[in-house]
Amino acid sequence: MIKIGHVDVSLERRQLYLKGEPLHVGTRAFDILEVLIKAGGNLVSKEEILRRVWPETIVEESNLQVHISLLRKLLGDDRGFIKTIPGRGYLLACPDEIEGRTGTRRSKSANEESLPLSNVPPGHMPLIGREKALGDVKSALDAAPLVTLVGAGGIGKTQLGLEAARSLISLYTEVRYVNLSTVERPESTLNAIAEGLAGGRSKGVVTVACLIQAIGCRKTLIMLDNCEHVIQEVASICEQLVESNPNLTILATSREPLRARFERIYRVPPLEVPSEDAERDDILRCSAVDMFVSRAHVYAPYFRADGESTALIGTICRRLDGLPLALELAAARVAALGISELVAQLDQRFCVLTGGPRTAPARQRTLKAALDWSYQFLCQQERTVLRRISVFRGAFHLNAACEVAALEDLCATDITEAIAGLVSKSLLMFAPSGSLMTYHLFETTRAYALQMLVESGESEIVVRRYEYFQSTRGAVTDESNTTATLYDQTSLALQDG
Ligand SMILES: Nc1ncnc2c1ncn2[C@@H]1O[C@H](COP(=O)(O)OP(=O)(O)OP(=O)(O)O)[C@@H](O)[C@H]1O
Ligand SMILES: [Mg+2]
């Protein structure tokens, strides 16, 4: 006997019972119920039900709706077991799911407990400085069906997401990791997700309905990693998936929010860096320093953070903005350069930070590649504004950006829109200051944009506008540039090609 809430179903006798009493059910309605039961909680399309229940005849869809209504009436308070997936079909929710909703979730058997279906790779390196972030991400996943970890390239979105997924494995029937960074064309996104879910075994044309059916109503966590280059498709697929299955949770990583319904955004912060005047103990307590030192040990086992080098390590971490990828690339250079020389070479960071692991994705093998990956997704206007605001060192306000970046080709509205785009794509950091917002570029992003400014041939005119604005309005940044330092920096950017 199969239980649907309070109603028992006997497939052999083709009969429904409520408290032992038979309920009257028509043949077609029973056929439909049988199709849904046999689908095991998966979605069944309307076409499929019509084909199976009325094999010889072509009938109107309204017939199906009438029988579904009859079945729901019979189920009474348990009518919610039959779910309509708008535009696609129906599914009969697993008893497990419904019991869970009414607070009587059946406990998992020992076998289910010990055999979660997960393809999340094990973590070989400890995740440093992410205790709070991990707690925040888990809370977000508890509260929303779709959580996106957003942040600059190399800030640690993937590692944080993987760690969160690993720590939640026991709560899900299935946990699936899908890497989207290798998807070359947006139209391949759906297939890539289907393949990822099916462990590479998915073949042929895939639709969202197929995915919904494949996932069924199992309690599933899917991690979609690196979505920024196929963001439109991912947003649409995620919306449809979470809408169809209340037991599904999606954890996405992207340099830009998906802007999908149900989405909760978690902005991944950089690792903590010491202030310029921090004492030795405070420097060593910072997570960026911890990460740099532990990575440097891998490449140079004799490496020690002794009295003199501790301050230099603090400088490296601060000037690399606490970005794990940059710290990792810098640590790989310690063995060859030593710590003092590494600091000296930070002005040419794109020439020096090039030695990522051969096996890392191409966008993470050099510091420049990490920024190139983001830069290619900017529109023309955003690129232009990014280049021009590179003259600001430290925080600045929107009006300063508008004054300095507005040459004949861009008006204040264009610049405001571009600033919003750069913030969204994690290339420009923001922080409220009173009623205003302040913006600043990571030093690495700024060095990259400054180089682009020089290459564009606009550096002279933009520096002149910056000087003019500064002389008429006073200091525009926390750490305003002098013209001399700006010229130094633009010529350094030229050398750092
Ligand atoms: N908290 C951490 N502790 C130690 N290593 C870390 C940490 N976070 C990231 N890393 C290392 O830094 C590098 C970049 O991290 P990750 O790949 O997670 O960045 P990402 O934000 O996903 O980058 P992308 O935008 O290119 O996908 C990786 O090699 C990773 O091992
Ligand atoms: Mg990533």
Side-chain angles (χ1 to χ4, degrees), residues 126-128 130 152-159 226 255 271 291 295 324-325 328 363-364:
L127 194 69
I128 295 168
R130 292 299 194 202
I155 205 160
K157 302 177 291 293
T158 297
Q159 294 308 316
N226 276 99
R255 294 188 185 184
L271 296 180
M291 185 195 154
R295 285 291 199 274
L325 176 68
E328 208 165 58
R363 68 174 191 290
Q364 293 194 340

Side-chain angles (χ1 to χ4, degrees), residues 53-323:
V53 176
W54 287 272
E56 319 283 2
T57 353
I58 296 179
V59 292
E60 292 285 332
E61 212 185 85
S62 55
N63 268 308
L64 176 55
Q65 285 160 359
V66 168
H67 286 92
I68 291 279
S69 297
L70 284 171
L71 282 171
R72 284 190 173 131
K73 219 172 190 174
L74 282 173
L75 292 177
D77 287 345
D78 298 312
R79 56 179 49 244
F81 274 87
I82 299 178
K83 290 179 186 259
T84 307
I85 311 299
R88 288 194 292 279
Y90 299 91
L91 64 81
L92 184 70
C94 303
D96 183 25
E97 178 196 334
I98 298 291
E99 283 166 22
R101 194 143 34 79
T102 52
T104 56
R105 180 179 287 278
R106 135 185 100 84
S107 60
K108 287 180 178 178
S109 70
N111 195 32
E112 280 174 302
E113 215 67 85
S114 61
L115 278 179
L117 239 70
S118 161
N119 68 339
V120 177
H124 294 299
M125 299 271 203
L127 194 69
I128 295 168
R130 292 299 194 202
E131 297 76 14
K132 176 169 184 320
L134 205 53
D136 291 346
V137 173
K138 289 203 267 185
S139 307
L141 287 168
D142 203 27
L146 169 60
V147 175
T148 309
L149 306 187
V150 175
I155 205 160
K157 302 177 291 293
T158 297
Q159 294 308 316
L160 179 60
L162 285 171
E163 191 64 22
R166 280 191 285 266
S167 69
L168 293 172
I169 281 176
S170 63
L171 299 185
Y172 291 88
T173 314
E174 203 164 328
V175 182
R176 291 274 141 207
Y177 171 78
V178 181
N179 178 10
L180 294 177
S181 67
T182 50
V183 177
E184 285 175 1
R185 288 172 306 129
E187 6 1 321
S188 311
T189 310
L190 193 55
N191 269 44
I193 297 176
E195 266 180 40
L197 294 183
R201 291 189 305 275
S202 159
K203 295 221 163 47
V205 182
V206 178
T207 60
V208 177
C210 300
L211 274 192
I212 293 172
Q213 189 161 359
I215 296 165
C217 63
R218 291 186 298 280
K219 195 162 163 55
T220 304
L221 173 67
I222 299 176
M223 177 170 166
L224 297 178
D225 196 18
N226 276 99
C227 303
E228 57 275 333
H229 58 308
V230 284
I231 201 152
Q232 183 69 42
E233 290 67 26
V234 172
S236 151
I237 295 168
C238 284
E239 272 189 11
Q240 296 176 67
L241 291 184
V242 297
E243 220 167 9
S244 73
N245 182 353
N247 278 333
L248 176 65
T249 306
I250 298 177
L251 175 59
T253 80
S254 172
R255 294 188 185 184
E256 184 183 3
L258 302 187
R259 284 205 268 134
R261 276 186 300 145
F262 321 113
E263 181 187 28
R264 183 169 289 208
I265 293 161
Y266 178 79
R267 289 197 183 269
V268 180
L271 296 180
E272 192 196 353
V273 300
S275 60
E276 270 180 53
D277 53 0
E279 300 288 334
R280 182 170 190 273
D281 285 352
D282 293 332
I283 296 176
L284 292 174
R285 262 196 288 274
C286 287
S287 52
V289 173
D290 189 5
M291 185 195 154
F292 179 85
V293 172
S294 69
R295 285 291 199 274
H297 267 297
V298 174
Y299 298 101
Y302 52 83
F303 178 77
R304 292 280 170 277
D306 55 25
E308 198 194 336
S309 57
T310 304
L312 295 174
I313 294 170
T315 303
I316 292 173
C317 293
R318 195 168 45 253
R319 294 200 53 199
L320 295 178
D321 313 293
L323 274 176

